[in-house]
Amino acid sequence: MDIKILLKDIPDYHKIEVYRQHGGYETIRKALQKSPDEIIDEVKKSGLRGRGGACFPTGLKWSFMPKDKNIPKFLCINGDESEPGSFKDRQIFEFNPHQLIEGILITAYAIGAQTCYIYIRGEYVKWIRLMQKALDDAYAAGFIGEKMKETFGTEFFTNIYIHRGAGAYICGEESALMNSIEGKRGYPRVKPPFPAQYGLWGYPTTINNVETIANVPAIIENGAEWFANIGEPKHPGTLLFGVSGHVNKPGVYELPTGTLLTDIIYKYAGGVPGNKKIKCIIPGGTSMPPIRGDQIEGLKMDAESLKQVGSAIGTGGIIVMDEDTDLVKVLARITKFYWHESCGQCTPCREGTGWMLKILNRILEGKGTSKDLDLLIDVANNIEGHTICALGDAAAWPVKFMIERFRDEFEAKVNRAIKIDIPNKVHSMRRTQIPLKEIQINRD
Amino acid sequence: MKLESTVEVQFSEQELQTIENLKTRYLKPDSVILEVLYLLQEKYGYITREGMKYAADLLGITEEHVLGVVTFYSMFNTQPVGKYHLQVCTNVSCMLKGAYSLLKKIESELNIKKGETTPDGLFTISEVECLGSCGTAPVIQINEDYYEDLNEEKVTQIIKELKNR
């Protein structure tokens, strides 16, 4: 089945006139004829799940928004895209921005948001400009802002603005993203209260991923049933799989959920250079547990199938590593990332990521001992579940599962180091030379 | 962190108007802080203590708040950087495609280490986290532009071109 919802093979589809020639901005017109609840129900029935990593049912998320019309409500579109291995949302900014805008309009109408922000990572200067151009064109055509009333003949209107980030992975976490929009440090908030109750400036807010919202016009246009029948029933639709690492044709491939991982790698991404074997695969961005090369035969790429092999679909960013890859180096690099990006609020994550990095660097230097592997898992276990946001888990999982699934390789690295001559295992503490009572503290 | 500077910080009328217009998009003026900081950085090369004070006064927030934001986000420089800021991604996908040897190549080409600036003030090298360009790895960002699908020859060529610009 060759179905394209997001990245269509239509030349110049990013231009407003081409988008309109193919029925663009007609779906929002239809949507405005329905009630917001009908739209939420349609999206619920479609089975659309969030594409930002957590796979949360989108319609259900929208239904958490209070119906009160007299309070400000906000919609944030998460285009922070900083998960290593993930480079899909920028394809939408570049090749299909108007479908995203139309999706935002429909979503804003469904949840009653008068203002929408598209949060785009600061490094994406080019894609921010492309997206801004699309917004300008849509504003000029009367599809966004107050002119909507005239264009569509309804009371509803909404504004869409781009909010540029400034280099912080954590701002992809929804509550950190809101703090960032509020002009604060991007610290995740304690939940509950959830954004639908207490979001931007304390008002109800919904945060959705770029890819999720770009799917919405297609669902409203073709119906929930059409969408629900694409790919795997429990996780329907297409996904933008970003394939990188050791493959001949890296890139973003839009394929139905449930596509075989081996098909993605060998059929679409052209296989592994030099016909090497695959040692390890990260299936959905570095936060997701890595899987062994011998686990991928027959493995379908969707939320449920990956759960069964002890991983998760995440953002669909697939990193392929061939048989010659040094996994200790890879894990140290992944850990360095989380250490760098930890916001520092929670002690287990702030300190734990640094400890794990130190231990891994010690192993890389050939000074590791077999105890270090268990120590790493111990530290990871003490981070996981003990932090405000999921960055802690994201840092812990690669460590835990990489060691668990490739223990032999890690053992080989540390066992050589065991031979280091340690003359005296007891580290003797020296006594202080001055008796305690003679130590005076100058308090001036 | 170099914070002191003798340059007086002042936005032009037009820049102040841009900031005022941006403020209307949000419920509170604090939200435009990142844009104010970007503007400061663009104008003065990096963000000085005077710049932070200026931003604080402009938005009616404390200097501490501004300092907190500046130091939180990796894209703000609190010390001068070269005319060309080479930001080399070394995260997993780029690393698998040889980002570290690319970094070494750049360091030897320019005869400085990462985190340093060439004496002529032309180049600064930084090692950065994932730039979201894994499909075209390895990638480096020079100022605002992405240079994708790189190898050592290409990088040598790029540096040569920048030197002659």
Side-chain angles (χ1 to χ4, degrees), chain A residues 364-433:
Chain A
L364 278 178
E365 286 165 18
K367 292 175 189 163
T369 69
S370 55
K371 275 188 179 172
D372 280 340
L373 300 183
D374 295 322
L375 184 59
L376 274 170
I377 292 171
D378 194 37
V379 176
N381 279 333
N382 278 300
I383 301 174
E384 190 186 350
H386 297 129
T387 53
I388 290 174
C389 80
L391 192 142
D393 301 345
W397 287 347
V399 171
K400 271 174 69 172
F401 289 98
M402 192 75 101
I403 295 174
E404 186 191 302
R405 289 174 185 165
F406 299 92
R407 183 98 194 183
D408 44 351
E409 183 165 340
F410 282 82
E411 288 285 352
K413 272 271 157 56
V414 290
N415 279 343
R416 260 181 312 184
I418 270 180
K419 289 170 195 147
I420 292 173
D421 191 25
I422 305 168
N424 183 3
K425 281 185 184 172
V426 183
H427 183 83
S428 58
M429 278 176 63
R430 286 183 197 149
R431 285 171 192 280
T432 165
Q433 300 292 312

Side-chain angles (χ1 to χ4, degrees), chain A residues 85 87 90 117 121 123-124 129 163 165-167 180-181 183-186 201 244-246 250 333 336-337, chain B residues 25-26 31 38 65 68 71-75 90-91 93 96-97 100 127 129-134 141 144 148:
Chain A
F87 50 104
R90 72 180 233 192
Y117 301 105
R121 63 178 300 177
E123 291 88 346
Y124 274 5
R129 288 197 187 129
H163 190 96
S180 183
I181 291 181
K184 298 173 181 153
R185 286 166 78 88
W201 300 289
S244 65
H246 295 138
R333 187 62 190 85
K336 187 179 170 208
F337 172 73
Chain B
R25 299 176 170 189
Y26 304 94
S31 292
Y38 273 126
H65 183 148
T71 51
F72 189 82
Y73 296 93
S74 67
M75 286 178 71
T90 58
N91 213 305
S93 298
L96 294 173
K97 293 293 191 90
Y100 278 101
E127 182 184 355
E129 292 300 347
C130 186
L131 291 170
S133 202
C134 318
Q141 188 179 9
E144 291 188 336
E148 302 170 48

Side-chain angles (χ1 to χ4, degrees), chain B residues 9 19 59 70 80 89 102 109 111 122 156:
Chain B
V9 178
I19 298 296
L59 301 172
V70 170
C89 172
L102 204 64
E109 280 282 321
N111 209 17
L122 217 48
T156 313

Side-chain angles (χ1 to χ4, degrees), chain B residues 84-134:
Chain B
Y84 303 111
H85 190 187
L86 310 182
Q87 299 152 85
V88 186
C89 172
T90 58
N91 213 305
V92 182
S93 298
C94 283
M95 171 183 149
L96 294 173
K97 293 293 191 90
Y100 278 101
S101 53
L102 204 64
L103 178 61
K104 266 192 196 137
K105 177 77 186 168
I106 295 170
E107 287 177 335
S108 73
E109 280 282 321
L110 297 173
N111 209 17
I112 49 169
K113 293 277 168 214
K114 65 178 181 191
E116 295 174 353
T117 303
T118 50
D120 59 4
L122 217 48
F123 296 98
T124 300
I125 308 173
S126 298
E127 182 184 355
V128 296
E129 292 300 347
C130 186
L131 291 170
S133 202
C134 318

